Amino acid sequence: MINLERLRALAAVDTHGSIARAAQALHITPSGMSQQLSKLERECGHRLLEPEGRSVRLTHAGRVLADHAAALMAQLSEAEHDLAALGEEVLGPLRIGSVGSAIRTLLPATLAILAARHPRLTPSVRDGEVGDLLPALLRGELDLLLIENWSNRPRHIPEGVAVHTLVTEEARVALHADHPLGARPVLRLADLGGIPWAACPPGAEPREALVQALRTHGVEPEIRYSISDHATQLTLVAAGLSAALIPGAARQQVPPGVRCVPTDPPLRRHVQAAWQPRTESPPVHACLDALACLPSGGGFRCRDESCPGGEPNGRG
């Protein structure tokens, strides 16, 4: 393996044009510089320098290696600068996992706040279901999650994971306006037998919440359409083909001819931020602060003093 300090010596010779001036720039003796360069030639198996009058010049192999050395030195300098700036600036990657509805409703504004406050932060987003996202968080593949948790089927949160509820909203049953039950002000869950449903695929939190809610009241649901997107489910409801359980965030997509009716007992969905305090990084802090600035911040308090609703003393 090529020694980094010897590469630094070669890059210095290329920059300063002589061994003596390169040695002076690196604060070593000319003989020490010559020894470094001789060892580098042995390491790489090529002659790197050749005499030119009373000085030296780089061979073709030396030029090739010096170009790589210059790039490495620049990258190392940038890394050192970034590390030095960590105490002053939030930068680097932020890996977010989120359920689809939170991507549509919470993340655009959150990412916009982060871009304005921390331009050197590089967030990425993975769409997924809670059952896949939580293990990825525990494995260190993701830094922060936006997940959903249903009141009638609370999700077990693993030890070491912190959660904070951002939004609590009531889910309603979407029915075609001409459906016999569509005119009711409230739907008893026990009365929802014999209805075809459009729901998320098996394992998804909304589907499992629907199934458990109906079974608890003696109804075995007939889920005829497995569709991840609530907006697409609503197109089937509008065609009179099915019912669907729609959380509050998706009701802005309700098409004409569809009624969304509350249930008895009510079904509530919580949208939550989840992270590991043990490995909480400045990018995670920054994202939590950005979420606190949303109208649906759920009681978070932003530590950014420039935020109108922020308080500098942490999240409360």
Side-chain angles (χ1 to χ4, degrees), residues 79-303:
E80 291 171 342
H81 178 269
D82 284 351
L83 288 173
L86 282 177
E88 306 169 2
E89 183 179 3
V90 178
L91 51 85
L94 171 64
R95 302 162 300 171
I96 302 170
S98 178
V99 295
S101 59
I103 292 176
R104 288 189 299 274
T105 57
L106 296 180
L107 271 183
T110 302
L111 295 175
I113 291 171
L114 288 174
R117 290 181 177 176
H118 310 292
R120 298 188 64 194
L121 189 64
T122 53
S124 59
V125 179
R126 182 197 298 185
D127 186 5
E129 298 296 338
V130 180
D132 298 322
L133 295 176
L134 277 171
L137 177 71
L138 293 172
R139 291 193 300 268
E141 298 170 6
L142 295 170
D143 303 309
L144 180 93
L145 305 181
L146 295 180
I147 60 175
E148 58 184 330
N149 214 333
W150 289 74
S151 58
N152 70 307
R153 186 180 178 273
R155 158 73 66 165
H156 169 70
I157 302 300
E159 185 177 352
V161 174
V163 296
H164 184 91
T165 298
L166 301 167
V167 179
T168 296
E169 58 187 13
E170 188 174 320
R172 297 186 179 183
V173 174
L175 293 168
H176 191 278
D178 294 335
H179 192 281
L181 298 177
R184 294 189 181 184
V186 177
L187 292 173
R188 294 177 61 245
L189 293 177
D191 294 339
L192 294 177
I195 298 176
W197 291 86
C200 296
E205 297 297 309
R207 179 189 181 114
E208 302 307 321
L210 170 65
V211 170
Q212 182 159 318
L214 293 178
R215 285 179 177 169
T216 299
H217 291 81
V219 175
E220 184 61 34
E222 179 192 350
I223 298 180
R224 197 173 292 178
Y225 309 102
S226 291
I227 299 169
S228 298
D229 183 68
H230 291 300
T232 306
Q233 294 173 20
L234 285 166
T235 63
L236 297 177
V237 178
L241 298 173
S242 71
L245 183 65
I246 304 298
R251 289 205 292 275
Q252 58 188 327
Q253 302 168 301
V254 173
V258 173
R259 290 199 67 229
C260 291
V261 187
T263 63
D264 178 23
L267 298 175
R268 294 186 176 90
R269 183 182 81 140
H270 311 289
V271 180
Q272 300 173 316
W275 70 100
Q276 293 193 86
R278 177 178 57 85
T279 56
E280 189 172 338
S281 63
V284 171
H285 278 294
C287 191
L288 292 172
D289 284 347
L291 287 165
C293 293
L294 303 182
S296 54
F300 265 150
R301 292 188 179 181
C302 179
R303 298 166 303 160

